[in-house]
Amino acid sequence: MRISEIFHSIQGEGLCTGVPSVFVRTSGCNLRCSWCDTPYTSWAPEGDDLSVAEIVSQVNSYDCRHVVITGGEPMVSVGMPELTQHLQRDGFHVTIETNATRSPDGIAVDLASLSPKLANSTPDAALHPVEAKMHTESLRLKPDVIDAWLDYCACQLKFVVSSEDDITEIKDLLGRLTVPLPPDRVMLMPEGITPEVLAQRREMLIDLCKRHGYRYCSRLHIELFGNARGT
Ligand code: SF4
């Protein structure tokens, strides 16, 4: 499995914000978000091929019981069921962060952080025609796959929001789901990879959350460390 980095930090997003965690970042993704904060796992993937045993050994070297599998898109990595099963067997609380375009078959997970990508993720078609086609709605939003996850395990649904207009697409997607999800499990997170941009969008997001009952989701790691690898 191609791994970009394994590191110890605190979770910066979602229900487990602030919890010390070991992050396993896979390399490779089926999307090419224009604002991707880890292009070294998507636009220009890099990393080393590690066996499941090598990954589990590195995770166990930290004095920490939470592990976050992130990417890239972890669900496109061959061997992911085996890795998560090993980690759960070793007693870890396993969170997986996914763009929710692949179903959860065989994954051993305590929390799935589903982050379906909105139209705002689409690259400029003039500059990146091939990558823009990877973001047609049917490729990036899969209500049936999201339903499968919601049915399978504890989930949070996290949207990266650039502008107030994104709420229309969010509402439309939520209306197409058949498995109920309480509004406080729907999280709106500002798009941005600098503390300054996050701050600019905060007020707009808080207002959206108040109006629709969703949960505001900060990006604590960027506020604390900037957009740096290994954090
Ligand atoms: S799905 Fe995630 S890793 Fe893939 S391109 Fe989008 S932001 Fe980057």
Side-chain angles (χ1 to χ4, degrees):
M1 189 178 307
R2 199 170 191 193
I3 299 297
S4 161
E5 53 186 353
I6 297 176
F7 59 94
H8 189 207
S9 186
I10 58 168
Q11 174 57 284
E13 301 172 355
L15 292 171
C16 291
T17 294
V19 176
S21 305
V22 180
F23 291 78
V24 176
R25 188 182 302 286
T26 63
S27 193
C29 186
N30 56 328
L31 295 179
R32 296 289 184 274
C33 299
S34 57
W35 37 250
C36 181
D37 56 358
T38 56
Y40 50 92
T41 68
S42 56
W43 287 81
E46 55 186 64
D48 299 321
D49 280 320
L50 300 182
S51 68
V52 166
E54 287 171 321
I55 298 167
V56 171
S57 167
Q58 283 197 42
V59 171
N60 269 302
S61 70
Y62 297 97
D63 183 16
C64 182
R65 301 321 295 166
H66 279 249
V67 61
V68 179
I69 313 289
T70 188
E73 173 45 55
M75 293 301 295
V76 301
S77 291
V78 176
M80 191 49 67
E82 189 189 350
L83 173 62
T84 55
Q85 287 158 14
H86 267 80
L87 290 168
Q88 250 193 3
R89 211 174 301 146
D90 281 359
F92 286 97
H93 177 283
V94 178
T95 299
I96 192 155
E97 297 184 333
T98 173
N99 61 26
T101 57
R102 301 290 169 98
S103 58
D105 302 333
I107 292 293
V109 65
D110 296 284
L111 175 66
S113 184
L114 312 176
S115 186
K117 299 305 183 249
L118 302 175
N120 67 32
S121 66
T122 307
D124 185 321
L127 295 174
H128 306 287
V130 174
E131 290 82 3
K133 282 197 185 121
M134 295 166 74
H135 280 248
T136 55
E137 186 180 310
S138 61
L139 292 178
R140 62 182 166 74
L141 293 182
K142 295 185 181 283
D144 54 329
V145 173
I146 297 171
D147 272 338
W149 278 100
L150 295 176
D151 222 15
Y152 184 75
C153 62
C155 292
Q156 61 189 22
L157 199 50
K158 201 172 61 180
F159 293 100
V160 177
V161 176
S162 298
S163 82
E164 202 172 335
D165 297 341
D166 292 339
I167 200 69
T168 306
E169 194 179 5
I170 292 170
K171 287 273 193 194
D172 180 65
L173 176 64
L174 294 175
R176 292 159 68 193
L177 302 180
T178 60
V179 181
L181 182 70
D184 64 1
R185 287 287 172 129
V186 177
M187 304 184 173
L188 306 188
M189 188 170 77
E191 184 258 303
I193 54 171
T194 65
E196 294 74 23
V197 171
L198 298 182
Q200 282 164 17
R201 297 196 161 128
R202 190 171 298 141
E203 210 169 307
M204 175 267 292
L205 252 77
I206 290 172
D207 186 52
L208 280 180
C209 288
K210 281 160 65 181
R211 276 195 274 144
H212 298 278
Y214 303 144
R215 185 185 292 228
Y216 175 78
C217 179
S218 64
R219 308 186 88 173
L220 182 63
H221 54 303
I222 291 179
E223 290 166 15
L224 293 177
F225 310 116
N227 187 35
R229 289 198 195 194
T231 58

